[in-house]
Amino acid sequence: MKKKNLPVTNIGTVSLMMMFIVLCMVTFAALSLTSASHDARLGQKLADRQTEFYHASNQAEEMLAKVDDIIASAYKTTTDETAYYRTINKDLLLCSAEAVWTDQELDVMFQVPVNDFQTIQVLLDVPSPQQIKSEQPGSFYKILSWKILYTKAWKSDDTIQLIQ
């Protein structure tokens, strides 16, 4: 009697299928690992930027408190408008805030750096002593703007050449 020969491809097909499945699993594992690593780096960058921003925002709040103290002190210790503004100008030099005059009104501006390319800029309107008494008792300034300024120009990243 003749022996039946088993085809060799049956054993090879199972082995090839197993190798393909293992290769797919290794590929997906590598992709998952790189994706998780990238997400972790991105999350850390975002956390660092947010920490920088909140630190600068706290410094801006502290600076605002100093300016508020300066204006309140000038309001309480001076009697006329000229002496009021002169006292504010003199004291602002000590706390690195800048007095800006616009149409007979005093504005106070200061900046707090966030990082190498951003800064928080605060602009305050300082009313006269008569306006404080009549319109806003107890409020020595009005915040005109509190914004983030970019200090460096944006550079586009065009280093990747997809088509040669």
Side-chain angles (χ1 to χ4, degrees), residues 77-139:
T77 58
T78 57
T79 56
D80 66 331
E81 191 170 323
T82 308
Y84 170 72
Y85 286 129
R86 191 177 317 120
T87 304
I88 291 173
N89 272 333
K90 181 183 67 145
D91 292 344
L92 284 178
L93 295 174
L94 301 174
C95 73
S96 71
E98 180 181 338
V100 180
W101 286 94
T102 57
D103 298 331
Q104 303 296 330
E105 291 184 4
L106 175 65
D107 291 341
V108 175
M109 183 186 72
F110 60 89
Q111 294 182 349
V112 177
V114 176
N115 49 32
D116 292 340
F117 56 92
Q118 289 179 331
T119 185
I120 295 177
Q121 181 186 38
V122 179
L123 183 63
L124 308 171
D125 179 37
V126 179
S128 67
Q130 291 79 18
Q131 289 174 327
I132 293 173
K133 285 179 188 173
S134 64
E135 297 172 11
Q136 310 160 343
S139 178

Side-chain angles (χ1 to χ4, degrees), residues 8-50:
V8 177
T9 57
N10 286 343
I11 297 172
T13 303
V14 172
S15 297
L16 286 175
M17 191 68 139
M18 285 302 293
M19 285 192 292
F20 178 72
I21 290 171
V22 169
L23 182 64
C24 287
M25 291 177 72
V26 167
T27 303
F28 289 138
L31 289 173
S32 296
L33 182 65
T34 51
S35 176
S37 173
H38 181 268
D39 287 347
R41 282 193 312 267
L42 180 62
Q44 187 60 45
K45 271 187 187 177
L46 290 174
D48 291 344
R49 284 191 182 167
Q50 198 141 18

